[in-house]
Amino acid sequence: MRSKYTISQFADIAEAYPVIFFDSYGVLRNHRGLIPGAVETMDRLRKSGKHIRVLTNNAARSPAMAAERLAYYGMKDIPASEIITSGATTRHFLEQKVKHGKVAYLGTATSAEYIIGAGLEAIPISEVDFERLDEIGAVAFLDDEGYDMNVDINLLINILRRCQVPVVVANTDLLYPTTANDVALATGSVARLAEYVLGRKFVKFGKPATQMFQMGLDSVALDMPEVCPGDILMVGDTLHTDILGGNTYGMATALVLSGNTRPESAELEIEASGIIPDYVCPSIGQ
């Protein structure tokens, strides 16, 4: 990379920030398991008094489930109280805004149970009765799996052509990794396609939207009342979610090259997107 995007060591830049927000996949772990050195880095940050939060666009798991997942991989000291998920922000919206009717969803039953299960009835898109569309109170894009891409997307488009109801997107990620080198279309891509085709705008949660960053800041403020965005370093592997969201919210941002953004393409992606991180690091373990 050119000197304009100098590679920094994560340990050096983290010293300046009392609060550090981490993305999960690609930053703390990847398809192989934990990022080498990640556990040691987190231990060092805690011993130095840093406030840590994990912000993940994975809407399929609750914070408790996400904490269990990290513990399974070997990172056992991150409690559910320090994890903010896009599912949590979506759940809060549905609780406040949808007072009646069923929520038709794309995703897994597990994600629906967590996100929609707050006093609302969830129904898969595939089970919606077109003769009773008046029963639908909202539509939700929840997860990357759990539905037939070839069939259910067309059903969803036809439902939304007939229903003027709120549409929420719990995960705005465009791609998700399937192997070390391959990716697949994620829920955010499907939602963007539906928006374009229908000429509508959906309510989006997850990074880069501000709700997760605000929930993270509010969580830290319980112990650090004077905290402000300038105290926070957002660490992520994806320019269009982690870095764009952090930049927009007024946080410092560090792009790590251990996940979606690869070392060989980082310079081109930064210049092409115009999304410029404050720092670029090989990983949090180096």
Side-chain angles (χ1 to χ4, degrees):
M1 298 178 71
R2 298 186 306 183
S3 59
K4 180 179 179 180
Y5 307 117
T6 303
I7 296 292
S8 303
Q9 297 302 303
F10 179 75
D12 295 335
I13 64 174
E15 291 182 4
Y17 300 93
V19 182
I20 304 179
F21 288 177
F22 293 94
D23 180 33
S24 182
Y25 197 92
V27 178
L28 303 181
R29 69 176 184 91
N30 59 22
H31 66 285
R32 297 187 183 92
L34 290 182
I35 298 296
V39 171
E40 293 78 7
T41 293
M42 300 299 271
D43 288 343
R44 183 174 64 252
L45 293 174
R46 290 196 185 280
K47 289 177 181 177
S48 64
K50 306 292 185 184
H51 295 268
I52 293 170
R53 295 293 183 272
V54 176
L55 277 61
T56 173
N57 274 7
N58 188 335
R61 297 188 178 95
S62 67
M65 294 169 65
E68 291 174 4
R69 190 69 172 172
L70 286 172
Y72 169 82
Y73 283 102
M75 187 163 286
K76 302 179 179 180
D77 66 340
I78 299 182
S81 60
E82 292 184 354
I83 299 177
I84 312 296
T85 72
S86 60
T89 57
T90 309
R91 179 185 175 100
H92 179 74
F93 174 88
L94 292 173
E95 287 175 338
Q96 299 300 314
K97 296 294 186 179
V98 181
K99 302 302 183 183
H100 57 82
K102 301 176 181 179
V103 181
Y105 70 89
L106 283 180
T108 62
T110 300
S111 62
E113 181 179 359
Y114 167 59
I115 297 172
I116 303 174
L120 297 169
E121 181 179 353
I123 179 173
I125 288 290
S126 59
E127 296 180 11
V128 171
D129 184 348
F130 275 71
E131 300 298 322
R132 305 177 69 175
L133 290 180
D134 59 319
E135 296 180 348
I136 303 301
V139 171
F141 293 78
L142 299 184
D143 199 3
D144 302 320
E145 300 176 344
Y147 57 91
D148 187 324
M149 182 75 78
N150 294 320
V151 175
D152 293 343
I153 301 304
N154 288 328
L155 289 175
L156 179 143
I157 294 294
N158 282 289
I159 289 169
L160 291 180
R161 289 180 67 221
R162 294 165 170 82
C163 290
Q164 294 300 315
V165 295
V167 182
V168 298
V169 183
N171 184 346
T172 54
D173 287 351
L174 301 180
L175 302 169
Y176 69 95
T178 55
T179 68
N181 298 309
D182 299 322
V183 297
L185 292 178
T187 307
S189 293
V190 178
R192 282 198 184 187
L193 171 63
E195 280 187 312
Y196 177 77
V197 169
L198 295 166
R200 293 178 60 177
K201 287 293 183 182
F202 302 157
V203 181
K204 300 180 180 68
F205 299 94
K207 297 163 291 182
T210 60
Q211 297 98 332
M212 288 182 67
F213 298 103
Q214 185 62 51
M215 288 184 72
L217 186 144
D218 290 344
S219 172
V220 172
L222 296 175
D223 298 317
M224 186 181 174
E226 301 302 317
V227 66
C228 67
D231 297 320
I232 304 172
L233 175 67
M234 176 67 218
V235 185
D237 68 317
T238 306
L239 288 166
H240 287 88
T241 55
D242 308 312
I243 306 306
L244 176 60
N247 284 350
T248 302
Y249 199 73
M251 304 173 178
T253 53
L255 176 70
V256 293
L257 306 180
S258 54
N260 276 331
T261 306
R262 309 305 301 164
E264 60 271 18
S265 63
E267 178 181 3
L268 178 62
E269 290 186 42
I270 290 171
E271 293 192 354
S273 67
I275 302 169
I276 301 175
D278 294 290
Y279 310 98
V280 179
C281 310
S283 78
I284 67 166
Q286 297 183 32

